[in-house]
């Protein structure tokens, strides 16, 4: 996993106030709850006493502490044990009675945590051009791959006419001109895809492409784990690729719509579009889960071609 980054780890709707939940992220057991003001807290889900799951306990009435179900140890949002009932409520707790805590942030109806070995310098950023004018539907599913494989699938223009031959890849446009990759800053890039029917001419290199040909349809990737397909100003598909462990990824897929400007109508359109988006994603899943190895590397014995340029850009940054 890329260290010292903000990762989307949960959808906001998965964590209600007063609820204590446990999930695995980055191969670690984590416990989440909301404090009295609604702020999300995250600590290790392994009690420092005898290893019980803290998330099987409960949130105390003040919302600022949780209690381990095994022996009643009370943890604060910083992962420190504040009370050991067996020692007496007013007995000081030694400093070593603590678990790791993670900085959290809530943005765009996602819960993010900072995964790294230093403090974050700034909050996370979602896609600048997704505003409240767009409504969305969301679904999630687990893929049996490392999150890098799931990401690379969405950076791959070559697979469209084969994996999605009867959906978004219809038309047998097998030749890939470019693609053009355009970095915007050190944390994100756009890429523009030009698939066409094979007319006997070789695929054009990016430098042979006219920059003015860049379409309003483009894809955007923000490190470390969010992606957007900018279909139009009023239609988007986004995905967050959340690392569970080295062999599993949770994908949160959203379909954003703002076609009518009337919220309930756009919501209806988004709901009606969900089955199609599931079909497309499942077409990807069926193939990506067969890839070996389950995680990607910058150099791994593959024979890449020019159409793999977005994947190569991602790997260079990921392994930097």
């Amino acid at each position: 996993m890329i260290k010292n980054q903000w990762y989307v780890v949960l959808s906001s709707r998965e964590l209600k106030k007063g609820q204590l939940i446990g999930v695995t992220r980055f191969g670690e057991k984590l416990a989440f709850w909301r404090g009295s003001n609604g702020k999300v807290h995250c600590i290790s889900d392994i009690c420092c006493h005898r290893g019980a799951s803290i998330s099987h306990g409960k949130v105390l009435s003040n919302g600022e502490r949780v209690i381990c179900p095994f022996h009643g140890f009370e943890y604060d949002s910083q992962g420190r044990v504040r009370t050991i009932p067996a020692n007496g409520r007013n007995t000081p707790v030694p400093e070593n009675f603590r678990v790791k805590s993670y900085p959290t942030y809530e943005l765009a109806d996602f819960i993010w945590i900072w995964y790294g070995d230093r403090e974050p310098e700034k909050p996370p950023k979602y896609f600048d051009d997704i505003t409240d004018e767009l409504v969305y539907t969301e679904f999630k599913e687990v893929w049996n791959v490392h999150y890098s494989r799931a990401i690379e699938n969405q950076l791959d223009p070559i697979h469209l006419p084969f994996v999605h031959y009867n959906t978004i890849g219809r038309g047998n446009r097998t030749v890939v001109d470019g693609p053009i990759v355009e970095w915007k800053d050190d944390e994100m890039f756009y890429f523009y895809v030009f698939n066409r029917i094979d007319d006997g001419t070789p695929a054009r290199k990016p430098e042979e492409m006219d920059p003015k040909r860049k379409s309003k349809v483009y894809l955007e990737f923000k490190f470390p784990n969010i992606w957007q397909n900018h279909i139009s100003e009023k239609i988007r598909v986004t995905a967050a690729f959340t690392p569970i462990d080295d062999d599993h990824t949770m994908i949160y897929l959203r379909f954003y719509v703002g076609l009518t400007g009337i919220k309930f109508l756009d919501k209806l359109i988004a709901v009606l579009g969900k089955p199609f988006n599931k079909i497309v994603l499942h077409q990807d899943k069926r193939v990506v889960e067969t890839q070996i190895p389950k995680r990607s590397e910058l150099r791994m014995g593959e024979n890449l071609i020019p159409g793999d340029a977005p994947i190569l850009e991602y790997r260079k940054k990921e392994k930097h």
Side-chain angles (χ1 to χ4, degrees):
M1 318 299 176
I2 306 175
K3 288 286 190 76
N4 299 312
Q5 302 273 339
W6 284 106
Y7 282 82
V8 170
V9 292
L10 288 169
S11 175
S12 292
R13 67 183 183 181
E14 294 181 282
L15 184 62
K16 297 177 175 61
K17 197 168 183 180
Q19 185 180 26
L20 176 60
I21 66 172
V23 298
T24 300
R25 298 293 185 260
F26 317 105
E28 301 177 22
K29 301 289 187 181
L30 303 177
F32 290 84
W33 78 97
R34 293 185 183 275
S36 56
N37 61 356
K39 178 176 170 54
V40 176
H41 301 307
C42 175
I43 63 175
S44 170
D45 194 21
I46 303 174
C47 181
C48 67
H49 176 216
R50 293 184 58 202
S53 169
I54 297 169
S55 66
H56 281 68
K58 63 182 180 180
V59 181
L60 296 183
S61 57
N62 66 3
E64 298 307 313
R65 294 187 187 182
V66 293
I67 184 169
C68 176
F70 203 2
H71 302 98
F73 283 37
E74 294 181 15
Y75 287 87
D76 66 15
S77 62
Q78 300 305 306
R80 284 203 58 194
V81 176
R82 292 299 183 179
T83 300
I84 300 176
N87 289 351
R89 180 161 292 277
N90 295 320
T91 303
V93 177
E95 282 287 330
N96 61 303
F97 280 75
R98 63 166 61 233
V99 297
K100 187 174 181 179
S101 66
Y102 292 83
T104 66
Y105 203 89
E106 200 159 8
L107 174 67
D109 297 333
F110 279 125
I111 294 168
W112 312 57
I113 66 172
W114 178 260
Y115 181 72
D117 49 19
R118 54 178 169 81
E119 290 298 309
E121 298 177 358
K122 55 187 178 181
K125 290 183 65 177
Y126 196 52
F127 300 108
D128 296 335
D129 55 357
I130 291 183
T131 67
D132 291 339
E133 295 177 0
L134 303 177
V135 299
Y136 69 87
T137 56
E138 176 185 283
F139 67 90
K140 67 176 183 178
E141 66 179 36
V142 175
W143 283 18
N144 298 320
V145 295
H146 188 267
Y147 85 115
S148 61
R149 284 294 199 189
I151 287 172
E152 289 183 0
N153 177 70
Q154 303 303 327
L155 305 181
D156 177 2
I158 302 171
H159 79 284
L160 291 174
F162 304 100
V163 176
H164 306 294
Y165 65 95
N166 61 349
T167 54
I168 59 174
R170 285 192 300 258
N172 198 34
R173 297 185 296 274
T174 58
V175 176
V176 178
D177 291 332
I180 295 175
V181 178
E182 186 177 287
W183 283 88
K184 288 298 182 182
D185 53 42
D186 193 44
E187 299 174 349
M188 61 87 65
F189 62 79
Y190 297 138
F191 63 103
Y192 301 84
V193 176
F194 306 92
N195 288 44
R196 60 180 171 87
I197 294 174
D198 192 341
D199 61 2
T201 61
R204 299 180 184 90
K205 298 177 181 178
E207 58 270 21
E208 298 172 336
M209 305 285 290
D210 182 356
K212 295 179 181 179
R213 276 196 62 203
K214 289 190 302 187
S215 169
K216 291 183 179 179
V217 179
Y218 59 87
L219 298 100
E220 178 180 358
F221 181 72
K222 279 182 176 286
F223 286 89
N225 71 328
I226 57 174
W227 165 93
Q228 176 184 189
N229 184 352
H230 190 289
I231 299 169
S232 75
E233 290 301 315
K234 303 299 183 181
I235 302 178
R236 320 288 177 81
V237 177
T238 70
F241 304 94
T242 299
I244 296 176
D245 54 33
D246 280 344
D247 298 315
H248 302 89
T249 299
M250 179 70 77
I251 299 179
Y252 294 94
L253 194 92
R254 289 181 177 179
F255 182 43
Y256 284 89
V257 176
L259 287 171
T260 72
I262 302 172
K263 294 287 186 180
F264 79 91
L265 287 179
D266 286 333
K267 186 72 171 183
L268 177 60
I269 295 170
V271 169
L272 293 174
K274 182 188 286 190
F276 179 78
N277 285 309
K278 282 188 175 182
I279 290 170
V280 172
L281 193 66
H282 291 164
Q283 288 178 323
D284 286 318
K285 180 180 181 182
R286 179 177 60 85
V287 177
V288 175
E289 287 190 337
T290 70
Q291 288 184 280
I292 297 174
K294 284 189 177 292
R295 67 175 296 168
S296 67
E297 299 286 349
L298 179 57
R299 294 179 178 84
M300 50 189 294
E302 295 175 327
N303 296 306
L304 300 183
I305 63 176
D308 295 315
I311 292 172
L312 188 57
E313 291 296 314
Y314 166 72
R315 289 185 184 180
K316 287 178 181 177
K317 171 70 176 179
E318 185 197 23
K319 306 304 176 186
H320 180 64

